[in-house]
Amino acid sequence: MNTTQQTSQEDVFSLLSNQRRRYAVRACQQLEPPIELGELAEYIAAQECDKNVSAITAEERRRVYTSLQQVHVEKLEEAGVIECERKTIEPTEKLEDLEFYLEVVPGNEIPWAEYYLGLSGVAAALVASAWFGVYPDTLTGYVWASLIVALFAVSAGIHYFQTKRNRLGTELVGDE
C-alpha cells in the first residue's frame, strides 16, 4: 500500500472515529438533500436515543445541534464529504467512498468469517463421521446433508438480517 493510500485511510478512520460523524454521514446518504442542520441534528439525536425523530426532546436535539455546529460539520466539510453554507448541507461525491467503512461489526459478536469457518469445520466433521459410519444409523446421509444445508441457510439468514440491522442509520430514519 502506498503512502497516499495509507494517509487517505488514516484520514477516513480519524473522520469516522466519532459516532456522531458516522451518523451524520449515514444521514447524508439517506436524507434528501439539501439537509438543514436542524434536520441532521434530529436524525442523529433519534439514532443516539434509539427513538423516532418525532419522539426526541428539544434538549436531545439541542445537544446534538450544538456539537454539529461547533465541531462535526466543520470536520466533515474539511474532509470534502459535505459542503455547508448557511446551515444547509449538501453531500459531495466523496460521501460514497465512505460506505465501505460504515459496515459495522459490533464488539460483542464473533466476526462472521470466523463463524463460517467454524461452521464449515462442524460440517466437515459430520461428513467425516458419515463417511466412516460413526453417526447414528437412524439418520440417513440425506438427512445429514439436509441438516448441514439447513444450518448454513439459517446462519446465512441470520447473518443477512443482523448485518442489515447493524448498518448505521437503517432504523428510525423518519417518523414512521
Side-chain angles (χ1 to χ4, degrees), residues 12-155:
V12 168
F13 289 141
S14 176
L15 181 69
L16 298 177
S17 67
N18 181 277
Q19 186 177 33
R20 278 206 178 138
R21 287 194 294 271
R22 291 191 304 269
Y23 283 140
V25 167
R26 183 60 72 199
C28 288
Q29 291 173 326
Q30 293 183 347
L31 299 175
E32 190 68 33
I35 304 165
E36 297 299 319
L37 187 58
E39 180 184 9
L40 181 62
E42 288 174 345
Y43 176 97
I44 294 170
Q47 293 295 314
E48 288 180 353
C49 297
D50 197 23
K51 298 178 180 180
N52 282 329
V53 171
S54 60
I56 62 170
T57 66
E59 177 58 27
E60 291 165 339
R61 179 187 181 278
R62 185 199 58 74
R63 189 180 69 244
V64 173
Y65 185 95
T66 302
S67 75
L68 286 173
Q69 190 176 33
Q70 293 177 352
V71 178
H72 304 298
V73 168
E74 182 179 336
K75 287 192 182 282
L76 291 166
E77 199 169 21
E78 287 173 359
V81 175
I82 63 168
E83 292 175 353
C84 184
E85 189 172 318
R86 297 184 185 151
K87 299 181 183 177
T88 300
I89 297 164
E90 285 280 349
T92 67
E93 290 180 13
K94 272 188 151 184
L95 186 72
E96 292 175 25
D97 296 338
L98 299 180
E99 180 68 27
F100 172 78
Y101 296 98
L102 290 175
E103 297 302 319
V104 177
V105 176
N108 61 349
E109 294 180 10
I110 186 169
W112 282 102
E114 291 177 25
Y115 173 82
Y116 283 115
L117 186 61
L119 187 59
S120 297
V122 169
L126 288 173
V127 169
S129 68
W131 185 274
F132 294 111
V134 178
Y135 66 90
D137 292 335
T138 56
L139 299 177
T140 67
Y142 292 116
V143 173
W144 281 110
S146 298
L147 288 172
I148 291 170
V149 168
L151 191 57
F152 273 95
V154 167
S155 296

